[in-house]
Amino acid sequence: MPIIESTYKAPYFFRNGHVSTIYSGLIRRVNGIEQTRERIILPDDDFLDLDWSYTEQKSDKLIIILHGLEGNGQRPYITGVAKLFNNNKFDAVCVNFRGCSGEDNFQYRSYHSGATEDLEAVINHILKTTTYSEISINGFSLGGNMLLKYLGERHNIPNEIKAGIAVSVPCDLYGSCQELHKVKNFAYHQNFKNYLVRRLRRKQKLHADKLSVEAIKSIKTLKDFDDVYTSKAHGFKDALDYYSQCSSLQFLPTIKTPTLILNALNDSFLSPECYPVKEAKQNAQLFLEMPKYGGHVGFHLYGKSYYNEKRALEFVLENS
């Protein structure tokens, strides 16, 4: 499809990508949403926690929301979507990836950008236990990559899934990794790495036969983390093999579900390859919107909802 011309106009102060990213991640608050937690057991006897919120009247429409690296179902960029959709006659379920719901997961493995088997397990559970006839999926960053990979790699997408929205998505994982290792992103890089290593130390105590303290001490960068843990725990040769196999860019040509990618041009986490212009022009079901501003998941608007949340609702309604 032709590239979508964005109508997003960022407030003056939020035209700086770092300001919009940091404000949205650390300062923004979303109030007035009530969530109910459901735990599902996965095929390998691990678990995922799902946080549900509902519209006032019974609905046959659902939005599934996927968080980013080290996120969870209570982050404002997640609950902001859930609240807006709840107010527009959609139920919402926020998926907490393995180990992200406040309790460490059971298995040595965890979550990663390409773990579409866990997304499929969530979808299958919902289809078996509910009666929703229209389901859309909104993924952010890592969760956006997982969504795009799922939609493009599988040939049996359930008929109930009507639309996908991927926001601030690193379609090329290696390119995004390189960006995160640059000086401009030093603070973000260190924050992500420290969170991940802290959780990995807890995991090491339970799985000392699979990971040594010395290996953890060798982790100095996010790529080191993916070399030492992510790749090995999930069946990849090394970090580069993980990035190669799990980048959603290669799956975009085969997406058949109406899908919107919303990536800001001033997102410091994204490399040039993360703006798939060619792929969008060649796939009638793939829509690419590249606002000038927005940072990483920071599409601030005056008012309670963010631009990406309103665009997600518009896109879902257009394709329902």
Side-chain angles (χ1 to χ4, degrees):
M1 291 294 291
I3 307 304
I4 296 175
E5 183 175 349
S6 183
T7 61
Y8 176 54
K9 292 179 171 55
Y12 180 79
F13 190 62
F14 292 92
R15 293 178 185 177
N16 181 294
H18 295 298
V19 170
S20 58
T21 299
I22 294 169
Y23 178 90
S24 301
L26 298 180
I27 300 174
R28 185 191 183 194
R29 297 291 181 267
V30 175
N31 300 314
I33 181 169
E34 295 184 7
Q35 293 178 314
T36 302
R37 177 157 291 184
E38 176 189 17
R39 176 163 293 186
I40 66 171
I41 304 302
L42 298 168
D44 63 355
D45 294 324
D46 213 339
F47 70 90
L48 286 178
D49 286 331
L50 311 180
D51 292 325
W52 291 84
S53 61
Y54 301 95
T55 188
E56 290 186 358
Q57 298 179 339
K58 183 175 175 57
S59 176
D60 65 346
K61 299 179 180 181
L62 175 71
I63 181 80
I64 300 173
I65 312 170
L66 311 176
H67 63 73
L69 184 65
E70 290 303 277
N72 58 54
Q74 284 67 56
R75 292 293 175 88
Y77 68 89
I78 298 295
T79 55
V81 176
K83 184 176 181 179
L84 181 63
F85 273 78
N86 289 161
N87 290 339
N88 285 273
K89 302 180 180 179
F90 285 76
D91 291 341
V93 59
C94 305
V95 179
N96 296 278
F97 297 139
R98 300 188 192 218
C100 293
S101 60
E103 181 179 336
D104 292 335
N105 65 302
F106 300 146
Q107 302 293 344
Y108 179 58
R109 66 155 295 174
S110 182
Y111 70 98
H112 64 83
S113 297
T116 52
E117 67 276 8
D118 285 357
L119 175 55
E120 185 172 54
V122 170
I123 293 169
N124 288 342
H125 169 76
I126 290 170
L127 292 176
K128 288 178 182 177
T129 59
T130 68
T131 58
Y132 296 109
S133 61
E134 295 184 17
I135 299 175
S136 301
I137 310 174
N138 190 178
F140 291 86
S141 197
L142 177 150
N145 186 81
M146 184 189 297
L147 167 61
L148 296 176
K149 180 173 179 282
Y150 168 79
L151 293 175
E153 73 180 357
R154 281 166 168 74
H155 303 294
N156 57 341
I157 301 296
N159 292 330
E160 290 86 352
I161 296 181
K162 305 300 183 184
I165 307 97
V167 178
S168 300
V169 54
C171 305
D172 183 83
L173 294 177
Y174 183 53
S176 181
C177 175
Q178 290 179 305
E179 293 298 316
L180 279 168
H181 284 72
K182 292 181 178 180
V183 174
K184 64 178 180 177
N185 286 318
F186 178 78
Y188 306 120
H189 174 278
Q190 292 301 103
N191 190 53
F192 282 136
K193 187 201 70 174
N194 291 340
Y195 269 112
L196 290 166
V197 169
R198 209 156 36 234
R199 285 212 300 126
L200 193 58
R201 288 196 183 103
R202 296 201 304 269
K203 188 174 285 290
Q204 190 277 330
K205 293 178 181 178
L206 299 174
H207 303 277
D209 58 321
K210 296 182 176 68
L211 182 67
S212 68
V213 173
E214 290 71 24
I216 295 177
K217 289 180 179 178
S218 73
I219 297 173
K220 307 300 181 186
T221 68
L222 287 172
K223 182 178 178 295
D224 291 342
F225 181 88
D226 289 334
D227 271 320
V228 169
Y229 173 70
T230 310
S231 59
K232 302 299 188 293
H234 301 96
F236 304 102
K237 184 174 69 173
D238 54 23
L240 294 182
D241 184 43
Y242 158 54
Y243 302 150
S244 175
Q245 291 198 46
C246 292
S247 290
S248 60
L249 185 64
Q250 62 197 304
F251 299 101
L252 299 184
T254 50
I255 289 178
K256 295 181 174 60
T257 303
T259 300
L260 171 67
I261 297 175
L262 180 65
N263 281 355
L265 292 173
N266 69 341
D267 187 334
S268 68
F269 293 13
L270 303 185
S271 67
E273 296 80 11
C274 295
Y275 300 91
V277 173
K278 180 185 71 173
E279 288 78 6
K281 288 182 176 179
Q282 294 176 351
N283 185 342
Q285 298 302 323
L286 190 63
F287 302 80
L288 176 63
E289 182 174 342
M290 299 176 290
K292 186 176 181 180
Y293 306 112
H296 194 72
V297 196
F299 298 92
H300 182 86
L301 286 175
Y302 291 121
K304 296 181 179 179
S305 295
Y306 268 35
Y307 176 77
N308 62 280
E309 296 158 5
K310 293 184 176 181
R311 276 296 287 127
L313 180 61
E314 289 172 0
F315 190 77
V316 167
L317 293 176
E318 289 169 1
N319 290 281
S320 61

